[in-house]
Amino acid sequence: MRAAFSGLSPRRTVCDNADQRVDTPPGPRSDAVRSPSLSIVIPAYNEAFRIGDTLMALCAVLPSLVDHWEVRVVDDGSRDATAAVVAEFAHTHTGVVLQPEPHRGKGGAVRAGMLAARGDLRFLCDADLSMPPTELPRFLALAPAEADVVIGSREGRGARRVGEPGYRHRMGRVFNALVRSLAVPGIDDTQCGFKLFTREAAEAIFPRVTIDGWAFDIEALVIARRLGLRVRELPIEWHYREQSQVSPVRDAFLMARDVVRIRLRAAQGAYDR
């Protein structure tokens, strides 16, 4: 599918996927401003040192994949220059949107971004872009035809982990065993930061998400299953990044606590309302 315009235009223009103000939610649809086919939602907290490279890589590949798109960076109250870097980039690259939010945590930023996004498909993307963007077409091939939610997986046949220390992998597998036993049996990797939702799935799931921290992925998948949505795992190539925001010990404890809370909420029928 050929792009209707380039995501690398030299100046800011009003076009199909351009927001005119970074802090104003989109208004009603019109023929002049069409809803994008794909929204990339990037939660960002203190990512000034790498968010520019991530945006450049995405803007280089998206025009070849879909006609209309947006890259929505949800700044989670960063204390560095993340917002300034994104705002400057958005000024010269159509389709890039800065969504400022108060600091809540990754889950809170993702929830806000998914509900503000305008795309028929909404792709959660980590700010470090540890998955090559060339993997995106494989997600798009599955939704909505075969799945309502497609989750990238670093496990299973065909998956590739590049450069990850062994101890990080082992800790992740221990945590995933806990998640499978308490919350989402049968899913090999709930924590990979790349997930695709249809518009309908995102708008059904994220108003019900209550976790502002790292375990929001697990809650979102529990909700998807409770709602009877089709969830599909997709093995991907994934590259370890040294500057991860996750603390293996502290955050693992907090996430384990949240998994127990999610199980209790599910047992009480909180996600069915």
Side-chain angles (χ1 to χ4, degrees):
M1 187 182 300
R2 191 174 60 84
F5 56 87
S6 171
L8 294 171
S9 64
R11 60 186 178 88
R12 185 73 172 177
T13 58
V14 178
C15 62
D16 289 341
N17 67 344
D19 276 16
Q20 295 187 33
R21 292 181 58 186
V22 298
D23 58 351
T24 302
R29 298 183 198 176
S30 69
D31 292 337
V33 181
R34 285 177 286 179
S35 177
S37 304
L38 176 65
S39 292
I40 308 290
V41 176
I42 305 177
Y45 181 67
N46 294 342
E47 297 284 359
F49 67 100
R50 61 184 167 193
I51 192 65
D53 290 341
T54 292
L55 292 174
M56 187 66 72
L58 288 170
C59 287
V61 74
L62 284 171
S64 67
L65 301 182
V66 291
D67 288 336
H68 312 293
W69 50 270
E70 67 172 358
V71 177
R72 180 173 292 270
V73 181
V74 186
D75 179 49
D76 185 34
S78 295
R79 294 175 293 176
D80 68 357
T82 296
V85 171
V86 176
E88 182 178 0
F89 195 96
H91 183 69
T92 55
H93 294 75
T94 60
V96 175
V97 180
L98 170 63
Q99 181 178 336
E101 294 287 338
H103 181 59
R104 300 186 188 95
K106 185 177 182 181
V110 171
R111 180 173 62 246
M114 282 289 173
L115 294 177
R118 300 180 296 139
D120 296 324
L121 295 172
R122 303 176 186 185
F123 185 73
L124 170 61
C125 175
D126 275 352
D128 63 5
L129 200 61
S130 52
M131 181 196 80
T134 50
E135 296 273 32
L136 260 172
R138 301 176 59 226
F139 286 82
L140 301 178
L142 295 176
E146 299 180 25
D148 305 299
V149 180
V150 184
I151 60 177
S153 177
R154 297 162 293 184
E155 300 294 331
R157 181 176 298 177
R160 290 188 61 219
R161 289 177 178 260
V162 180
E164 183 183 31
Y167 79 91
R168 298 277 302 214
H169 190 193
R170 289 189 292 272
M171 290 180 67
R173 298 319 298 153
V174 170
F175 179 75
N176 186 255
L178 173 69
V179 171
R180 290 199 309 269
S181 64
L182 292 180
V184 279
I187 294 182
D188 287 329
D189 187 2
T190 58
Q191 299 312 113
C192 182
F194 302 90
K195 296 177 173 67
L196 180 67
F197 300 83
T198 64
R199 174 193 296 272
E200 294 77 13
E203 292 178 353
I205 291 169
F206 284 96
R208 293 174 165 89
V209 169
T210 63
I211 301 293
D212 284 339
W214 299 105
F216 80 93
D217 307 71
I218 301 162
E219 188 175 31
L221 293 174
V222 167
I223 293 168
R225 283 189 163 179
R226 300 288 289 200
L227 297 178
L229 299 175
R230 300 168 299 164
V231 179
R232 172 85 175 264
E233 276 194 277
L234 178 67
I236 63 168
E237 177 182 331
W238 177 85
H239 295 251
Y240 174 74
R241 304 298 192 211
E242 286 286 349
Q243 299 89 355
S244 172
Q245 299 274 10
V246 180
S247 168
V249 177
R250 180 198 65 217
D251 292 325
F253 171 79
L254 295 175
M255 290 167 67
R257 180 200 63 188
D258 285 340
V259 170
V260 174
R261 290 178 175 175
I262 292 166
R263 180 181 174 89
L264 291 175
R265 287 181 59 80
Q268 293 165 357
Y271 302 127
D272 303 329
R273 296 193 285 269

